[in-house]
Amino acid sequence: MSSLPLHERTLSLDHEELINVLANEPNLLIIQDLDGVCMGLVKDPLTRVMDTHYIEATRSFNGHFYVLTNGEHIGKRGVNLIIERAYDDQNLVKEKGFYLPGLAGGGVQWQDRHGNVSHPGVSDKELDFLARVPQYIEASFKNFFANNNPNLDDKAIANYIQASILDNKVSPTANLNVFHEVFIEQEDYYFQLQQHIKQLMDDLLAKATDEGLENSFFVHYAPNLGRDETGQEIMQEAKGKDSGTTDFQFMLKGGIKEVGVLGILNRYYYQRTGKYPLREDFSVRNAPRNHHQLVALIKDNFDPEQMPTIVGVGDTVTSKAVEKNGNLSFGRGGSDRGFLQLIQEIGQEFNTGNLIVYIDSSAGEVKNRKALKLEENNGQNYVVEGPGDPRDQADPLTLNVAFPGGYQQYIQCFQEAAKKRKQ
């Protein structure tokens, strides 16, 4: 194994050293994504399951472990229900503190270990508009299929539509994974559906503006091609068998994961020092979006002596070549890229050895992830190609540790670290 410190390596498979850091670092803060990281990536969120051994292992990191997800804690497609199903006893989950603490909805839905949920900085008017979005998504799907005949019976279409509407409280979503599978041989048809849902999202933003909520929402595309010059995310168009963007999440402005890092860090400092560096009522809604501004805000308000070693864990990082006028550029996206890159920048600024951990979720049901490429040398495996485009040598994000074996390999490592930390 390399003699370099783990935070200076790229796509290392030295999981023992990661376990060592997780088990022994006293000032540790783990910020972790969920889907594809600690449970399988599936087309229908209602079928997700989570290992109870992993759930219980998170308690060994009590106060040092928080989730950061664009999904939600609550609702019929929320993570809480997955945990309650795993134990078949909601009261037990609440009493034992088995819920996963942290931020959902990109950063606007806070939860503690016992399932107490709040929505800092969110107005009732915004929640009322979000509650109507699933109805608009359903009507839009029905309109598309009424005007486009896919040679499917009405009952099948109705079932697919219901599976594709995620009626989350603060991040209602149109998920096209099921339709991509259904129309895998009808690429033009799927492309038209993708464009139709893109137009719906644009229309919903315009409708919100008409109702006096012009600064309330944005659309998160997963996967995406990064952001344009105005800061808006760029949808990845379907091309051939590549599904491109499959998740269209209508979200609250400010609900982006990198700002969520500040929300978690603010609460972590309070645990350690009894003071909130950014005030108790800090909300991601009124924080800057720019990485340089976020790092400056941390430098100005957070005691460097108390800054933890932060371990960011995610599975959605992309880099795709885009050719325009004969010039090659790269659309760098993925819903985890922003928060992982901010954690990396904080580590560089405060010299805390922050780690970026990448989980290969390409073996899941959702087939739009690029698998890590491994080669063997002298009996040892090495990652020779990451999730991005190998030509993108200027990608600023360094993935320090890789788990080519997916979430199963990661949660096994996590459980070993939890056992050692408990001891």
Side-chain angles (χ1 to χ4, degrees):
M1 289 295 180
S2 171
S3 59
L4 284 173
L6 204 54
H7 69 276
E8 293 181 11
R9 300 187 218 170
T10 301
L11 294 169
S12 170
L13 300 179
D14 189 353
H15 300 155
E16 283 302 317
E17 182 56 28
L18 177 62
I19 289 171
N20 181 51
V21 173
L22 297 180
N24 297 307
E25 173 55 55
N27 191 6
L28 174 76
L29 175 56
I30 302 169
I31 302 180
Q32 183 203 282
D33 183 38
L34 291 173
D35 288 310
V37 172
C38 61
M39 56 184 162
L41 202 60
V42 296
K43 298 187 192 77
D44 183 355
L46 290 174
T47 65
R48 292 179 297 177
V49 294
M50 195 180 293
D51 190 315
T52 56
H53 295 104
Y54 164 78
I55 295 168
E56 287 156 30
T58 65
R59 295 199 307 171
S60 298
F61 295 96
N62 191 29
H64 299 274
F65 169 89
Y66 295 94
V67 299
L68 182 55
T69 176
N70 282 328
E72 296 198 22
H73 294 301
I74 58 177
K76 68 180 182 182
R77 287 179 171 84
V79 176
N80 289 0
L81 199 60
I82 300 170
I83 296 170
E84 289 163 9
R85 280 201 308 265
Y87 289 94
D88 197 26
D89 189 338
Q90 185 178 353
N91 292 329
L92 173 75
V93 172
K94 191 171 181 65
E95 286 170 20
K96 296 282 189 182
F98 285 155
Y99 293 112
L100 301 182
L103 286 169
V108 297
Q109 187 179 84
W110 173 260
Q111 173 177 267
D112 66 18
R113 281 208 159 272
H114 298 279
N116 299 304
V117 174
S118 61
H119 298 92
V122 184
S123 71
D124 289 341
K125 189 175 180 182
E126 288 170 326
L127 289 173
D128 288 343
F129 189 93
L130 288 165
R132 285 182 275 143
V133 170
Q135 298 161 29
Y136 294 127
I137 296 174
E138 182 174 16
S140 184
F141 272 130
K142 287 180 176 177
N143 174 263
F144 178 83
F145 289 111
N147 292 287
N148 297 272
N149 181 7
N151 296 318
L152 293 172
D153 64 63
D154 292 344
K155 186 177 180 182
I157 292 174
N159 288 338
Y160 293 143
I161 288 174
Q162 288 309 307
S164 300
I165 302 170
L166 314 188
D167 51 352
N168 305 325
K169 188 177 180 73
V170 293
S171 59
T173 300
N175 180 306
L176 302 187
N177 284 318
V178 170
F179 284 118
H180 181 251
E181 183 180 20
V182 171
F183 301 125
I184 192 71
E185 301 301 331
Q186 297 169 271
E187 295 160 8
D188 288 346
Y189 198 91
Y190 173 80
F191 177 82
Q192 291 172 35
L193 177 60
Q194 186 192 52
Q195 296 296 322
H196 181 81
I197 297 301
K198 164 78 166 64
Q199 185 60 53
L200 165 68
M201 294 294 150
D202 292 343
D203 293 345
L204 285 173
L205 290 173
K207 183 172 180 57
T209 297
D210 291 343
E211 295 187 18
L213 296 169
E214 63 272 15
N215 293 313
S216 291
F217 307 108
F218 77 104
V219 180
H220 170 57
Y221 301 109
N224 59 59
L225 294 175
R227 295 190 177 96
D228 62 21
E229 58 277 1
T230 69
Q232 303 303 308
E233 292 186 8
I234 304 169
M235 185 187 81
Q236 183 179 325
E237 290 191 343
K239 190 174 182 180
K241 295 288 188 290
D242 185 343
S243 63
T245 294
T246 54
D247 282 38
F248 296 74
Q249 292 189 276
F250 198 80
M251 301 184 72
L252 287 152
K253 271 193 178 173
I256 56 174
K257 286 184 174 181
E258 45 263 58
V259 185
V261 170
L262 264 72
I264 291 172
L265 198 56
N266 190 46
R267 291 171 186 266
Y268 181 80
Y269 263 70
Y270 174 73
Q271 285 173 196
R272 290 182 65 83
T273 68
K275 293 182 180 178
Y276 291 98
L278 299 175
R279 304 187 315 277
E280 183 177 0
D281 62 351
F282 171 79
S283 162
V284 299
R285 305 296 309 280
N286 47 35
R289 310 282 180 269
N290 178 281
H291 272 220
H292 295 301
Q293 292 175 322
L294 290 171
V295 172
L297 189 63
I298 295 170
K299 282 176 65 178
D300 291 345
N301 293 277
F302 290 76
D303 179 1
E305 295 296 318
Q306 297 291 337
M307 184 59 66
T309 295
I310 309 176
V311 179
V313 190
D315 73 312
T316 313
V317 175
T318 61
S319 173
K320 283 190 175 286
V322 180
E323 192 169 340
K324 192 174 182 181
N325 300 326
N327 296 316
L328 198 64
S329 62
F330 296 92
R332 300 182 185 123
S335 56
D336 295 329
R337 174 181 285 274
F339 97 89
L340 294 177
Q341 193 169 320
L342 181 63
I343 288 172
Q344 175 183 286
E345 291 168 6
I346 294 169
Q348 291 165 345
E349 186 66 44
F350 287 86
N351 195 28
T352 47
N354 290 356
L355 294 174
I356 307 305
V357 179
Y358 177 75
I359 316 302
D360 183 342
S361 59
S362 63
E365 291 179 14
V366 181
K367 301 300 183 187
N368 59 10
R369 308 297 167 96
K370 179 183 172 184
L372 296 172
K373 185 178 178 182
L374 276 69
E375 285 184 6
E376 187 181 324
N377 187 9
N378 294 326
Q380 284 193 327
N381 283 328
Y382 296 88
V383 179
V384 294
E385 194 174 305
D389 192 305
R391 295 168 292 178
D392 189 5
Q393 298 298 311
D395 191 331
L397 178 61
T398 299
L399 306 173
N400 303 123
V401 185
F403 283 87
Y407 81 94
Q408 299 98 327
Q409 188 180 28
Y410 168 69
I411 65 171
Q412 187 61 43
C413 175
F414 185 91
Q415 286 162 218
E416 287 182 37
K419 195 181 299 180
K420 291 185 177 181
R421 191 171 183 95
K422 199 173 182 180
Q423 290 169 354

